[in-house]
Amino acid sequence: MIYVDESIQTGLGYIATAMVYCATDPEPAVAAALTNAGLTPRLDEYKSGARMQDNTRLHQLRDDLAFILQTQSRIAVLVTPSAERGQLGRYILDALLDMLAANSLPHAQRCFIDEGISLQDSPEHAQLLAAGVELQANSDSRLILGLQLADCAAYHSSFIIKAALSGKQKMLTLGPEAGYPEPIEADLAWVLRTQLRHAYFTAPCLTADGDVNLMPAMLGYGAFLRGTLPLDAAAAVEKEFGHLWVGCVH
């Protein structure tokens, strides 16, 4: 199953769309996370844009969804110009074809695309249908719980790009709960990328001659660019998601 949702940053000129692949149904885990946060699955939902200040339950829900992304999902992020929002549906379908091929994923599966993203007839649409992908456009994220994972992934991926564009850091203190015996100060964008580094699709780490590459390419596997992006946004994506460190960080 694939779940698709976007994070729109009009002021910065880009849209970050997460395409989350799950080999097994993630809905029981998402439902449990919602219930643990005091929410009712399929009536309430996680929205990354919701105000979370001083709300420990929503903070925990965000962390629980991020954990599901880390352990049960693989992520690709598509970055497109916000000025070309009308083409987003076609860009998504084109990137889906590349994601499936680059990562040798099975084509016979369902793809749920969040409300507000319109799909039009196109060669890419026909190719996906012919390959066995069942496209479910305008899916309700309250009912299709996996879309809440895509919401979380899109927000986190967009935050990493946004931080690179602004040059601003939001510092956190990490301690034993994060594997650091002594507290350290860390940039939130670095923390998010580090947490999700094994979930993002990358090129294989094992090289043809048997060596292990701990900085594999992410572009073309777990990151895709479409349309005419502002130069600074394209540069930020290539800087943050061109290659990805997958080794130890402690």
Side-chain angles (χ1 to χ4, degrees):
M1 286 163 283
I2 300 172
Y3 303 94
V4 180
D5 196 8
E6 90 278 40
S7 174
I8 302 172
Q9 299 292 332
T10 304
L12 296 173
Y14 74 87
I15 301 172
T17 300
M19 303 180 290
V20 176
Y21 169 73
C22 298
T24 59
D25 187 358
E27 295 213 348
V30 176
L34 290 166
T35 301
N36 289 341
L39 301 178
T40 303
R42 295 184 174 82
L43 289 177
D44 304 313
E45 64 178 319
Y46 170 83
K47 282 292 187 183
S48 58
R51 185 173 179 82
M52 297 188 188
Q53 187 175 4
D54 300 324
N55 191 323
T56 56
R57 285 190 171 186
L58 287 184
H59 279 290
Q60 186 60 52
L61 175 57
R62 180 191 60 196
D63 292 344
D64 288 346
L65 293 180
F67 181 75
I68 298 169
L69 286 170
Q70 294 170 50
T71 57
Q72 299 185 33
S73 311
R74 301 299 303 275
I75 305 167
V77 58
L78 164 67
V79 186
T80 58
S82 57
E84 298 174 27
R85 187 175 177 182
Q87 296 295 314
L88 181 59
R90 183 168 185 178
Y91 289 149
I92 288 171
L93 299 182
D94 188 53
L96 278 171
L97 284 166
D98 283 354
M99 183 186 81
L100 291 168
N103 299 293
S104 301
L105 299 179
H107 285 53
Q109 58 184 297
R110 303 174 75 185
C111 176
F112 299 94
I113 299 175
D114 195 38
E115 295 172 312
I117 301 174
S118 62
L119 300 184
Q120 293 141 2
D121 289 336
S122 65
E124 296 83 6
H125 192 284
Q127 283 179 264
L128 285 165
L129 293 178
V133 178
E134 181 184 342
L135 296 168
Q136 299 284 326
N138 290 311
S139 296
D140 186 340
S141 56
R142 287 183 303 110
L143 303 178
I144 306 299
L145 302 187
L147 283 171
Q148 296 176 50
L149 293 176
D151 180 321
C152 184
Y155 178 82
H156 284 4
S157 300
S158 183
F159 185 91
I160 293 168
I161 299 168
K162 184 177 180 180
L165 282 169
S166 70
K168 297 178 181 178
Q169 293 185 324
K170 182 176 181 179
M171 305 305 293
L172 301 177
T173 301
L174 303 180
E177 76 289 345
Y180 296 92
E182 298 295 330
I184 68 165
E185 294 294 309
D187 174 35
L188 176 57
W190 178 86
V191 172
L192 294 176
R193 188 171 57 251
T194 299
Q195 287 178 340
L196 295 177
R197 70 190 188 283
H198 294 301
Y200 284 119
F201 282 114
T202 66
C205 291
L206 189 63
T207 64
D209 57 8
D211 292 333
V212 176
N213 177 15
L214 295 178
M215 193 78 167
M218 184 172 162
L219 271 177
Y221 296 87
F224 301 93
L225 302 176
R226 293 293 186 274
T228 307
L229 275 167
L231 293 178
D232 58 347
V237 174
E238 292 180 11
K239 174 179 178 288
E240 299 300 323
F241 294 135
H243 291 77
L244 190 65
W245 174 255
V246 296
C248 181
V249 295
H250 291 88

